Amino acid sequence: MYELMLNLEEKAKKCLYEQIYEHMKGEIQRGNIRCGERLPSTRLLAKQLDVSRSTAQLAYEQLLSEGYIESVPCRGYFVCQMEELYHLEPEILPKAEQEVSAPADVLYDFTPNGIDLDHFPYAVWRKLSREVLQDDQKELFHLGDPRGEYALRSVICTYLHQARGVNVQPSQVIIGAGNDYLQMLLSRLLGTRRRIAMESPTYRHAYEIFRGLGHDCCTVSMDQYGMDVEALRTSGADIAYVMPSHQYPMGIVMPIKRRQELLRWAEEKEGGYIIEDDYDSEFRYIGRPIPALQGNDTHQKVIYLGTFSKSIAPAIRISYLVLPLSLMDKYEEIGKRFSCTVSRIDQRILQLFMERGYFERHLNKMRALYKSKHDVLLAEVRQMKGVRRILGDRAGVHILLQMAGERSEEELIRRAREAEVQVYPLSEYCIDDRAYEPTVILGYATLTEEEIRRAAERLASAWEM
Amino acid sequence: MYELMLNLEEKAKKCLYEQIYEHMKGEIQRGNIRCGERLPSTRLLAKQLDVSRSTAQLAYEQLLSEGYIESVPCRGYFVCQMEELYHLEPEILPKAEQEVSAPADVLYDFTPNGIDLDHFPYAVWRKLSREVLQDDQKELFHLGDPRGEYALRSVICTYLHQARGVNVQPSQVIIGAGNDYLQMLLSRLLGTRRRIAMESPTYRHAYEIFRGLGHDCCTVSMDQYGMDVEALRTSGADIAYVMPSHQYPMGIVMPIKRRQELLRWAEEKEGGYIIEDDYDSEFRYIGRPIPALQGNDTHQKVIYLGTFSKSIAPAIRISYLVLPLSLMDKYEEIGKRFSCTVSRIDQRILQLFMERGYFERHLNKMRALYKSKHDVLLAEVRQMKGVRRILGDRAGVHILLQMAGERSEEELIRRAREAEVQVYPLSEYCIDDRAYEPTVILGYATLTEEEIRRAAERLASAWEM
């Protein structure tokens, strides 16, 4: 019988039974106690180690639970027959790591993906979050409706109706943690291997996600009015992914005629759908916001995708999907299984933020702010030598520049980078290999007006040479 | 030329140009202004309506943007040629709806999915969230690392090492909004149409999600030690989904020998993986927590799935995936495209909750609380007449009951329901059609001790008759 050699530490952090358990487990793992070997009874073990019998019992219980030893009635405890002696092989331990931070050789970054967070109403957000957490509201910590909170969906409907001309009921709204997730969910509702038509250039991320989910994504040519519906018809696609209010990155607004043609296509196409990505319809500098395509959809063919990433902040991670009635059965069947991915606390904060008018005020403030940055950048760019065309300057938070001369995007970007200014290539958004004019993208949301001026000066001299 | 008949309201909420725009848009939509018709110049329109010329200009700009009219140089403004007259068809308007609430004819609900939220440290959570939002921390509202915040991943690693014997680096941890989402993400990393072996009964939701994602899910028989590895070998599966520390719903703890066999299988199987769902390893009433299988994995074959849904609250929507090093390249290639689905504010709150020891204290408190509820229920059930077997009573927050006699699950549940007590059928968790003994599930997390006593009394008499 095996006799335990163990110095117990009375004052150790680990209690006595744990010390015994760990010692014996180690001995078994190292092969020092052989399989099949009989172990002392709990009474004997207690005596050997000078501990109470219940301590010995606890140690054995744990070894029993994990399957290292077994208890044979009337005979005692034995080390289990393992498949083989259990030698831990040297582990491929991942290297210890540290957080990596971004390189800092860019002074002015015209990223088209950022937003201005200097003017976020932190105090309001804090106040609302305090209020939401105030009353120990238990139910907020229980799992909620898979579609998201009714109250939030309801206030989103009101907003969509007023601001976007979208007519829906709360049951059609699905809250989700960002567009990526909602695209995954939508993909489940649409079924496998759909043929999805996209413009090029487009929001490349959506393209990659749909393709990654096994869909067949094709590109359809685009003219000054947006996706070419004739080309769409011959593409064999049954789903069209468009951004009619403000195409990204080209900034094209789809006129009513093209919208009608597109809707007609979807009506005629068996199983046809239009995915309307209405990602930044809020920021328009001339006139009112362009209404959503969804508002003209009389045949339940438009799937509307909205987000608060641009209008509030990307990190709050709240987007929503508005399903046409024709997809509601599919949602009930499949989609409801997926729990809502946004915390109920965050949903409640956003609900109050919208209900109490903070959202509208914030949008108005940001619209004025972005307009003023927009005007500064436009004024600078218009003075710049060699600018051939400015595109997409009526809405959104970026513009596109085409320069005179033969310079490639790479060269324009390289020269800008040498002046510590980062601008972005249009080619990043192109998902086909059609030839197009070298174009750079300048996002101005994250820069201050003064920074925009200084950066534009640097660009002017970098591109002049 | 069309002449506008319109009464402008000076004091209306909508400004003048919007009134003009909306009126003209309506007239075009209703066919009252025909396609191709010439519109008055802005000067003439301004005169007709007695508004400034810039107001008229703004109205036209908006109609131009949306494509209702076009401007022909030197000739003026014309209504666009549409494909056809744009008549809005009667809309299939969704019925106005109201929030639905759950039926209230159940007095005591032994749901196995709930948690006790009477003892959640609301004040701490509130304090931490206030602290996180305190300093207008801009960067928290920008998009973060797709894997989640480094600091949170780091503190999760420490916790996993100490509490679960899991050895990983922060880069292997992917934070996500709930297991459903992480399963979707994982599915993308594993590739399409994998054959996934599951036990039966099991966590049905996981089964349905994997199947819905196009994987081929098969069941593998289970004995008292968990998944049968011989059966797994012949099943043709290359992925095994298991819950070794506490199988749901059966409560089986997989002993070390079976774990070794399972790991051996994964090592030998080309592309083989084990998904370890460690959903509620925290609540164990006899001895220490059972270590995770991941800790024994020397060949980077275990994908570990953890969640705070049981240990904190389901509605905070934070789970995490620990990827083996063998899947890191796939993650870099595919997974990184998906933005993290948890807000950075929530991540920071959880990080502080863990770092400052609140999590550990909360777990200890809940363990004691659940243990005490567990003991009350066990005492009641042991007195109950006709109970043949109690299963899964060493851990977790539910037990399983098998009754003597010939009663089906449906009948047991119907009788309980007549006494206003809700218990749950094991059959809900079965994904194959093997015969098994009628078994009901009693979750006790959401009930108080007094409620458990009263509910158990009702059950005793409901089942006695």
Side-chain angles (χ1 to χ4, degrees):
Chain A
M1 195 193 298
Y2 177 79
E3 192 174 332
L4 214 61
M5 304 292 281
L6 168 62
N7 293 319
L8 290 171
E9 293 172 58
E10 284 282 357
K11 285 178 180 156
K13 207 181 161 196
K14 278 184 182 145
C15 54
L16 292 174
Y17 96 84
E18 284 185 279
Q19 294 179 48
I20 302 169
Y21 149 76
E22 291 206 335
H23 176 81
M24 293 186 80
K25 181 167 119 177
E27 290 287 277
I28 296 170
Q29 284 179 344
R30 285 184 293 272
N32 295 342
I33 320 182
R34 261 164 310 175
C35 299
E37 193 156 346
R38 191 172 157 203
L39 295 171
S41 68
T42 52
R43 193 151 49 125
L44 189 54
L45 183 70
K47 209 175 143 196
Q48 280 176 0
L49 296 174
D50 192 20
V51 296
S52 74
R53 194 160 163 199
S54 65
T55 298
Q57 187 71 42
L58 272 174
Y60 276 6
E61 283 281 351
Q62 191 68 27
L63 291 166
L64 280 167
S65 299
E66 298 186 20
Y68 287 97
I69 65 172
E70 57 191 339
S71 157
V72 180
C74 309
R75 293 199 49 219
Y77 295 97
F78 295 83
V79 175
C80 281
Q81 292 289 353
M82 312 252 173
E83 206 179 28
E84 59 180 18
L85 281 179
Y86 189 73
H87 295 295
L88 278 171
E89 298 184 34
E91 269 188 70
I92 325 163
L93 257 187
K95 272 173 285 171
E97 50 186 51
Q98 287 200 309
E99 196 169 5
V100 276
S101 46
D105 63 335
V106 170
L107 212 55
Y108 304 106
D109 187 354
F110 278 109
T111 172
N113 302 315
I115 65 161
D116 181 327
L117 281 171
D118 286 332
H119 299 84
F120 184 79
Y122 296 99
V124 169
W125 202 261
R126 200 152 55 220
K127 192 189 81 172
L128 295 177
S129 81
R130 203 147 51 205
E131 187 179 324
V132 167
L133 287 167
Q134 200 73 287
D135 318 308
D136 296 7
Q137 286 173 310
K138 265 213 291 191
E139 90 280 6
L140 280 185
F141 288 83
H142 280 299
L143 212 51
D145 189 315
R147 287 171 299 189
E149 297 297 281
Y150 178 83
L152 175 60
R153 288 184 285 120
S154 183
V155 74
I156 286 176
C157 286
T158 309
Y159 161 76
L160 282 177
H161 181 71
Q162 287 170 358
R164 312 293 307 123
V166 168
N167 286 308
V168 288
Q169 291 293 323
S171 63
Q172 296 172 269
V173 178
I174 320 293
I175 311 279
N179 285 14
D180 299 357
Y181 168 72
L182 288 175
Q183 269 183 255
M184 284 169 104
L185 182 64
L186 179 59
S187 162
R188 293 280 297 108
L189 306 184
L190 293 173
T192 45
R193 306 199 139 270
R194 300 294 296 256
R195 191 163 164 87
I196 303 178
M198 301 185 98
E199 295 152 322
S200 176
T202 189
Y203 181 48
R204 197 192 180 93
H205 198 58
Y207 166 74
E208 279 171 355
I209 287 179
F210 279 126
R211 215 177 45 151
L213 290 166
H215 297 290
D216 175 15
C217 292
C218 60
T219 57
V220 160
S221 61
M222 173 166 56
D223 60 19
Q224 56 174 321
Y225 304 124
M227 187 177 274
D228 181 336
V229 178
E230 271 319 299
L232 173 60
R233 235 174 260 281
T234 57
S235 72
D238 50 7
I239 293 172
Y241 178 93
V242 289
M243 297 167 269
S245 302
H246 189 227
Q247 204 271 349
Y248 190 79
M250 297 308 286
I252 294 168
V253 173
M254 190 181 286
I256 186 70
K257 184 173 179 222
R258 183 61 56 87
R259 291 177 180 221
Q260 280 176 275
E261 288 165 8
L262 194 60
L263 288 166
R264 165 74 53 86
W265 165 83
E267 284 161 24
E268 287 167 6
K269 186 88 192 174
E270 174 76 24
Y273 282 107
I274 298 165
I275 300 174
E276 176 178 23
D277 183 353
D278 203 27
Y279 71 103
D280 83 340
S281 49
E282 303 304 341
F283 303 121
R284 193 169 151 72
Y285 307 120
I286 298 156
R288 305 161 21 116
I290 303 291
L293 176 63
Q294 202 275 359
N296 296 326
D297 175 25
T298 53
H299 287 72
Q300 303 292 326
K301 286 296 190 176
V302 174
I303 298 156
Y304 179 94
L305 190 57
T307 177
F308 294 99
S309 287
K310 292 270 171 187
S311 55
I312 297 183
I316 72 161
R317 304 271 77 206
I318 308 184
S319 295
Y320 53 95
L321 200 56
V322 178
L323 296 176
L325 295 176
S326 55
L327 273 177
M328 288 311 288
D329 285 348
K330 269 281 175 219
Y331 179 76
E332 291 290 324
E333 182 195 334
I334 295 171
K336 267 194 154 170
R337 285 188 207 142
F338 297 89
S339 305
C340 182
T341 43
V342 182
S343 108
R344 294 177 80 181
I345 297 166
D346 295 344
Q347 292 187 57
R348 181 74 66 94
I349 295 171
L350 178 58
Q351 173 208 328
L352 296 180
F353 190 72
M354 295 179 82
E355 260 174 19
R356 300 198 184 154
Y358 295 116
F359 183 52
E360 204 185 328
R361 249 171 284 166
H362 177 60
L363 282 181
N364 288 337
K365 186 172 76 179
M366 296 314 288
R367 203 176 286 121
L369 216 86
Y370 286 145
K371 166 102 173 72
S372 150
K373 292 185 184 190
H374 165 271
D375 292 351
V376 168
L377 180 58
L378 261 281
E380 292 289 338
V381 165
R382 283 193 186 121
Q383 286 177 23
M384 226 179 249
K385 276 178 199 156
V387 172
R388 221 177 46 69
R389 257 174 101 198
I390 304 170
L391 298 167
D393 61 324
R394 295 170 71 96
V397 290
H398 74 270
I399 59 168
L400 299 111
L401 286 190
Q402 290 173 349
M403 306 297 287
E406 299 290 303
R407 283 184 189 142
S408 67
E409 283 180 8
E410 295 73 50
E411 196 184 342
L412 291 169
I413 288 161
R414 187 183 51 72
R415 281 171 176 261
R417 187 63 185 261
E418 280 165 13
E420 295 177 292
V421 179
Q422 183 75 57
V423 297
Y424 293 83
L426 182 62
S427 55
E428 246 179 40
Y429 299 87
C430 294
I431 53 174
D432 60 6
D433 35 338
R434 240 163 287 201
Y436 62 95
E437 265 185 89
T439 310
V440 292
I441 301 178
L442 276 68
Y444 49 82
T446 61
L447 299 172
T448 65
E449 292 179 25
E450 189 47 39
E451 284 168 340
I452 291 172
R453 272 189 211 101
R454 284 199 221 121
E457 276 166 33
R458 284 175 181 238
L459 282 182
S461 60
W463 287 340
E464 206 171 6
M465 295 175 295
Chain B
M1 195 195 293
Y2 177 78
E3 192 175 331
L4 214 64
M5 305 293 281
L6 168 62
N7 293 318
L8 291 171
E9 293 173 57
E10 282 283 358
K11 285 178 182 157
K13 207 181 160 195
K14 277 182 183 146
C15 53
L16 292 174
Y17 95 84
E18 283 185 278
Q19 294 180 48
I20 301 168
Y21 148 78
E22 290 203 337
H23 175 81
M24 292 185 79
K25 181 167 121 177
E27 291 287 276
I28 295 170
Q29 285 178 345
R30 284 184 294 273
N32 295 341
I33 320 184
R34 262 163 309 173
C35 299
E37 194 157 344
R38 190 172 159 204
L39 296 171
S41 68
T42 51
R43 193 150 49 127
L44 188 57
L45 182 71
K47 209 174 144 197
Q48 281 175 0
L49 296 173
D50 192 20
V51 297
S52 73
R53 194 162 160 196
S54 66
T55 298
Q57 187 71 43
L58 272 173
Y60 276 6
E61 283 280 354
Q62 190 69 28
L63 291 166
L64 279 166
S65 299
E66 299 185 18
Y68 287 98
I69 65 171
E70 56 191 340
S71 158
V72 180
C74 308
R75 292 198 51 218
Y77 295 98
F78 295 82
V79 174
C80 282
Q81 291 288 354
M82 313 253 173
E83 208 179 28
E84 58 179 21
L85 280 179
Y86 189 71
H87 295 294
L88 278 170
E89 295 183 35
E91 270 189 68
I92 325 164
L93 258 187
K95 273 174 285 173
E97 50 187 49
Q98 289 202 309
E99 196 168 5
V100 278
S101 46
D105 63 334
V106 170
L107 214 54
Y108 304 105
D109 186 353
F110 279 110
T111 172
N113 302 315
I115 65 162
D116 182 327
L117 282 172
D118 286 332
H119 300 83
F120 184 79
Y122 296 98
V124 169
W125 202 262
R126 200 153 53 221
K127 193 188 79 174
L128 295 177
S129 79
R130 203 148 50 206
E131 187 178 324
V132 166
L133 286 167
Q134 202 73 286
D135 318 310
D136 297 6
Q137 286 172 310
K138 266 214 292 189
E139 89 282 5
L140 280 185
F141 287 82
H142 280 298
L143 213 52
D145 191 316
R147 288 171 298 191
E149 297 296 282
Y150 178 84
L152 175 60
R153 289 184 283 122
S154 182
V155 73
I156 286 176
C157 286
T158 309
Y159 161 76
L160 282 176
H161 181 71
Q162 286 169 0
R164 313 292 307 122
V166 168
N167 286 308
V168 287
Q169 291 293 323
S171 63
Q172 296 173 270
V173 178
I174 319 291
I175 312 278
N179 285 15
D180 299 357
Y181 168 72
L182 287 175
Q183 269 183 256
M184 284 169 103
L185 182 64
L186 179 58
S187 162
R188 292 279 298 109
L189 305 185
L190 293 172
T192 46
R193 305 199 140 270
R194 301 294 296 255
R195 192 163 164 88
I196 303 178
M198 301 185 97
E199 296 154 320
S200 176
T202 189
Y203 181 48
R204 198 192 180 92
H205 199 57
Y207 166 74
E208 280 171 354
I209 287 180
F210 279 127
R211 216 177 42 153
L213 290 167
H215 298 289
D216 176 16
C217 292
C218 60
T219 57
V220 160
S221 61
M222 174 167 56
D223 60 19
Q224 55 175 320
Y225 304 124
M227 187 177 274
D228 180 335
V229 178
E230 271 319 301
L232 173 60
R233 235 174 259 279
T234 58
S235 72
D238 49 8
I239 293 171
Y241 177 94
V242 290
M243 296 167 271
S245 303
H246 189 228
Q247 204 271 348
Y248 191 77
M250 298 309 286
I252 294 168
V253 173
M254 190 182 285
I256 186 70
K257 183 173 180 224
R258 183 61 56 88
R259 291 178 179 219
Q260 281 177 274
E261 289 166 7
L262 194 60
L263 287 167
R264 165 72 54 88
W265 164 84
E267 285 161 23
E268 287 168 4
K269 186 89 193 173
E270 173 78 24
Y273 282 106
I274 299 165
I275 300 174
E276 175 176 25
D277 183 353
D278 203 28
Y279 70 105
D280 83 340
S281 50
E282 302 304 341
F283 305 119
R284 194 171 150 73
Y285 307 119
I286 298 153
R288 305 160 22 114
I290 303 291
L293 175 62
Q294 202 276 358
N296 296 327
D297 175 25
T298 53
H299 287 70
Q300 303 293 326
K301 285 296 189 177
V302 174
I303 299 157
Y304 179 94
L305 190 56
T307 177
F308 294 99
S309 287
K310 292 269 170 191
S311 55
I312 296 182
I316 70 160
R317 304 271 76 206
I318 308 185
S319 294
Y320 52 94
L321 200 55
V322 178
L323 296 176
L325 294 177
S326 55
L327 273 178
M328 288 311 288
D329 285 347
K330 269 279 176 224
Y331 179 75
E332 292 288 325
E333 183 195 333
I334 295 171
K336 267 196 154 169
R337 286 188 207 144
F338 297 89
S339 306
C340 181
T341 44
V342 182
S343 106
R344 294 177 80 180
I345 297 166
D346 295 346
Q347 293 187 57
R348 180 74 67 94
I349 295 171
L350 178 58
Q351 173 207 328
L352 297 180
F353 191 73
M354 295 178 81
E355 260 175 19
R356 300 201 184 149
Y358 295 116
F359 184 52
E360 203 184 330
R361 249 170 284 164
H362 178 61
L363 282 180
N364 289 337
K365 185 172 77 176
M366 295 314 289
R367 203 177 285 121
L369 215 87
Y370 286 145
K371 166 102 171 73
S372 154
K373 292 185 183 191
H374 164 270
D375 292 351
V376 168
L377 179 59
L378 262 280
E380 291 288 336
V381 164
R382 284 194 184 119
Q383 284 177 25
M384 228 179 251
K385 276 179 198 155
V387 172
R388 222 177 46 70
R389 255 175 103 197
I390 304 170
L391 298 167
D393 61 324
R394 295 169 70 98
V397 291
H398 74 271
I399 60 168
L400 299 113
L401 286 189
Q402 290 173 350
M403 306 297 288
E406 298 290 303
R407 283 185 189 143
S408 67
E409 283 178 9
E410 295 74 48
E411 197 183 342
L412 291 168
I413 288 160
R414 189 184 48 74
R415 283 171 176 261
R417 187 66 185 258
E418 280 165 14
E420 295 176 292
V421 179
Q422 183 74 59
V423 297
Y424 293 82
L426 182 61
S427 54
E428 246 178 39
Y429 299 88
C430 295
I431 54 174
D432 60 6
D433 36 341
R434 243 163 281 202
Y436 62 95
E437 264 185 272
T439 310
V440 292
I441 301 178
L442 277 66
Y444 49 83
T446 60
L447 300 172
T448 65
E449 291 179 27
E450 189 48 37
E451 285 169 340
I452 291 171
R453 272 189 209 98
R454 286 199 220 123
E457 276 167 30
R458 284 175 181 238
L459 282 182
S461 60
W463 288 339
E464 204 171 7
M465 294 176 295

